[in-house]
Amino acid sequence: MHFDIPFQIENYINGKFQHPISGSFIDNVNPATGKVYGKIPNSNDEDVDKAVVAANAALKSWSATSTESRFKILNKIAELIDENLEALALAETNDNGKPLWLSKEVDIPRASSNFRFFATAAMQFSSESHAMEGGINYTLRQPVGIVGCISPWNLPLYLFTWKIAPALAAGNCVIAKPSETTPVSAYLLAKICKEAGLPDGVLNILHGDGPSCGEAIVKHPSIKAISFTGSTKAGERIASIAAPMFKKLSLELGGKNPNIIFADCDWDKMIYNTIRSSFGNQGQICLCCSRILIEASIYERFKMTFVERTKKLTIGDPLVDSSKQGAIVSKVHFEKIINCIDIAKKEGGTILCGGKSVSPSGRCENGYFIEPTIIENLGPNCKTNKEEIFGPVVTIQPFHSVEEALALANATDYGLSCTIWTQDIAKANHVASKIESGIVWINCWLQRDLRTPFGGVKNSGVGREGGLEAMRFFTEAKNVCIQY
Ligand code: NAP
């Protein structure tokens, strides 16, 4: 396929690319250069209405399409994503600021995996039956209908497809909105879906901001389920609208994840992965571990090695292969992170490395870059250790016992994920069972099996994505009881 990305991208409704009804557009900024390089539709409730009409017209046929036909189309979408990896990766990097090598190695391959995985899920999904005395129950799992999928900017196509693929596989029609900050890969996905033969109206992609376009999706009475990934604050707002309408809700929200390092860990593996889990994607992954807890006996050794290794991370133009750290996604987010570092200093934190913005020379001199930052001397109850920063900023704290490690780890309102480093498997299992989070990694980080339940507890969300959990979310169970 040949992709021309116009300066002004369009919504994808009923299989056609079209302007927003208002005629209004929003600037799209490349965060590595700080320059406007495109415009995106500023869609509102009128565009959502139009998309719902299209989805409604397509629903009867799509929900009755054989699973094999759905498999073929979704699998074709996966193939076309792979074939267009270079163009999609470049679009992702220009929108988001992440290194191009990362877009190529992680974001785009995962987007095709999502479609491939849920294409096969459509073929394998089954429902239950329950025999009882004198009769039997069988459960039908039918598509919900029209569903809304709203995703964030940090892993744009990766998370967008993570929602859309299971929704389509289960036979729903979808109204989807990517973040206004990273819209282009979603625009290109629409072209791919058209080429793959996805019928018109089955997937409609609208661009615009959260409060107008996103909320119009959440509020629409014909949209029966909302799958949302983003901040806890926006999740709270969405829940306040959707819950009284009795919509199905899946909320994947913020995190403040602990990385618990015991003295008996595999040192090299732990250090390598701790650099990744602290600063991967400039710390802008919901699963990044922003609170590092270290057993006191190895605290000084860890601090020295970790600071030394962090200082070696090259910050620079995301298009250059040697850049380990790219740009922060937007000016607003850049300013938020710098403000969080100031707060950490005022709270008494010591900056061990980083803490400042960076201005690379050349093309990126006006981009939004921040040094990877390590802070110590802050206890569990300060703002820095309680609130999500979502940037290249971590704190380190020592602990003296398993109980103290658990108390520090659980001392936040969030509960998305946790990483534990120890060779003592009994200790690891004990900590895993007591930790308040939906996901636990032992001696690894970001190891993903798409069949596993994915999601958080406490303020990190409601519900689970992945595997059968996603297929169940995007279907309604109807029990049928037969008496013999
Ligand atoms: P965000 O501001 O909450 O936005 C997420 C998406 O929701 C965007 O498409 C946004 O649109 C839209 N939105 C915002 N307000 C809305 C509203 N009132 N109604 C409907 N839609 C609305 O989050 P973000 O800054 O993009 O992403 C970072 C956050 O996502 C972090 O908190 C991170 O932890 C979280 N996250 C969680 C997971 C997980 O799996 N738990 C994964 C990745 C990220 P616009 O951006 O266009 O305004």
Side-chain angles (χ1 to χ4, degrees):
M1 284 177 76
H2 178 69
F3 286 139
D4 268 335
I5 303 172
F7 185 72
Q8 203 163 272
I9 63 169
E10 293 173 305
N11 288 330
Y12 181 66
I13 300 175
N14 205 19
K16 291 170 198 68
F17 289 92
Q18 31 193 298
H19 280 14
I21 292 169
S22 68
S24 154
F25 284 79
I26 309 170
D27 287 345
N28 189 16
V29 176
N30 180 334
T33 62
K35 290 193 182 129
V36 174
Y37 83 114
K39 297 262 180 195
I40 74 156
N42 187 8
S43 310
N44 60 27
D45 50 351
E46 289 184 293
D47 303 285
V48 174
D49 280 342
K50 200 172 171 186
V52 168
V53 170
N56 214 15
L59 185 61
K60 198 168 167 202
S61 160
W62 180 247
S63 59
T65 300
S66 72
T67 49
E68 190 164 353
S69 303
R70 267 184 245 155
F71 161 81
K72 282 184 181 153
I73 295 172
L74 298 190
N75 204 43
K76 181 73 185 162
I77 295 172
E79 283 170 8
L80 290 173
I81 292 174
D82 283 340
E83 279 172 29
N84 293 285
L85 179 136
E86 296 284 335
L88 288 164
L90 186 60
E92 211 71 306
T93 286
N94 284 337
D95 265 2
N96 175 280
K98 65 178 69 199
L100 184 58
W101 59 263
L102 189 63
S103 299
K104 283 189 199 170
E105 281 176 25
V106 177
D107 291 75
I108 309 306
R110 174 57 192 275
S112 69
S113 295
N114 289 339
F115 268 103
R116 197 166 289 111
F117 178 85
F118 284 109
T120 59
M123 297 280 280
Q124 313 227 6
F125 190 45
S126 60
S127 58
E128 311 84 19
S129 75
H130 299 87
M132 62 183 188
E133 207 175 318
I136 190 164
N137 298 272
Y138 67 87
T139 307
L140 293 173
R141 290 201 172 266
Q142 298 172 316
V144 175
I146 305 175
V147 301
C149 297
I150 302 175
S151 60
W153 48 256
N154 66 322
L155 300 165
L157 196 62
Y158 176 134
L159 290 175
F160 197 58
T161 53
W162 181 233
K163 298 181 177 304
I164 291 171
L168 296 176
N172 301 283
C173 287
V174 177
I175 316 289
K177 188 194 96 63
S179 169
E180 74 185 89
T181 321
T182 52
V184 177
S185 57
Y187 167 79
L188 297 178
L189 179 71
K191 293 195 172 266
I192 284 175
C193 290
K194 183 93 185 156
E195 173 84 12
L198 190 70
D200 293 351
V202 171
L203 171 63
N204 303 278
I205 298 177
L206 300 181
H207 299 277
D209 68 18
S212 52
C213 181
E215 274 201 33
I217 294 172
V218 176
K219 282 180 183 155
H220 202 291
S222 300
I223 298 179
K224 300 296 181 197
I226 301 293
S227 174
F228 170 80
T229 298
S231 61
T232 297
K233 192 160 169 268
E236 192 182 340
R237 169 82 187 142
I238 287 168
S240 76
I241 298 166
M245 297 175 83
F246 306 111
K247 297 191 180 200
K248 282 188 104 173
L249 261 182
S250 166
L251 301 173
E252 298 293 337
L253 309 177
K256 193 77 189 167
N257 310 315
N259 175 5
I260 307 174
I261 302 170
F262 287 96
D264 61 357
C265 65
D266 175 333
W267 180 262
D268 291 342
K269 194 173 169 196
M270 176 279 292
I271 286 285
Y272 171 79
N273 281 289
T274 295
I275 293 283
R276 289 176 63 228
S277 67
S278 301
F279 304 121
N281 203 32
Q282 294 71 248
Q284 303 166 129
I285 303 179
C286 55
L287 303 164
C288 275
C289 301
S290 52
R291 295 178 303 135
I292 308 179
L293 312 176
I294 308 117
E295 194 159 4
S297 60
I298 56 163
Y299 184 82
E300 289 303 323
R301 180 183 173 207
F302 172 82
K303 181 167 118 179
M304 206 180 73
T305 313
F306 186 48
V307 168
E308 188 185 293
R309 293 278 286 273
T310 299
K311 282 183 175 166
K312 287 188 183 148
L313 294 172
T314 318
I315 310 160
D317 189 338
L319 297 181
V320 174
D321 273 352
S322 58
S323 298
K324 294 283 177 269
Q325 295 279 290
I328 301 300
V329 72
S330 65
K331 186 161 190 277
V332 172
H333 196 54
F334 166 89
E335 283 167 356
K336 179 202 152 175
I337 296 168
I338 294 288
N339 187 41
C340 288
I341 295 172
D342 282 345
I343 290 172
K345 287 184 203 158
K346 285 187 191 127
E347 287 179 323
T350 308
I351 310 288
L352 297 176
C353 73
K356 296 189 292 297
S357 62
V358 181
S359 177
S361 57
R363 180 184 99 92
C364 296
E365 63 182 357
N366 295 318
Y368 316 128
F369 295 81
I370 296 180
E371 293 172 335
T373 301
I374 305 172
I375 306 171
E376 75 167 347
N377 289 333
L378 287 176
N381 296 320
C382 63
K383 226 174 159 179
T384 306
N385 274 326
K386 285 235 169 244
E387 294 181 8
E388 187 181 43
I389 298 174
F390 213 55
V393 181
V394 297
T395 62
I396 59 173
Q397 301 173 69
F399 66 83
H400 297 83
S401 64
V402 170
E403 287 66 35
E404 193 188 358
L406 273 167
L408 288 172
N410 289 335
T412 103
D413 292 333
Y414 292 103
L416 185 54
S417 76
C418 159
T419 297
I420 303 164
W421 294 98
T422 173
Q423 303 280 46
D424 179 343
I425 199 65
K427 186 163 64 186
N429 284 325
H430 172 69
V431 174
S433 73
K434 298 288 177 197
I435 203 86
E436 294 164 0
S437 73
I439 299 157
V440 178
W441 279 295
I442 297 175
N443 297 330
C444 59
W445 177 71
L446 208 56
Q447 195 92 16
R448 293 285 290 120
D449 177 331
L450 303 189
R451 294 169 301 177
T452 58
F454 181 94
V457 299
K458 294 157 77 175
N459 291 0
S460 290
V462 179
R464 293 292 178 273
E465 296 187 321
L468 290 176
E469 302 275 350
M471 295 301 282
R472 290 195 185 116
F473 176 75
F474 285 116
T475 50
E476 288 285 9
K478 182 190 284 172
N479 191 66
V480 182
C481 178
I482 308 167
Q483 195 175 40
Y484 295 141

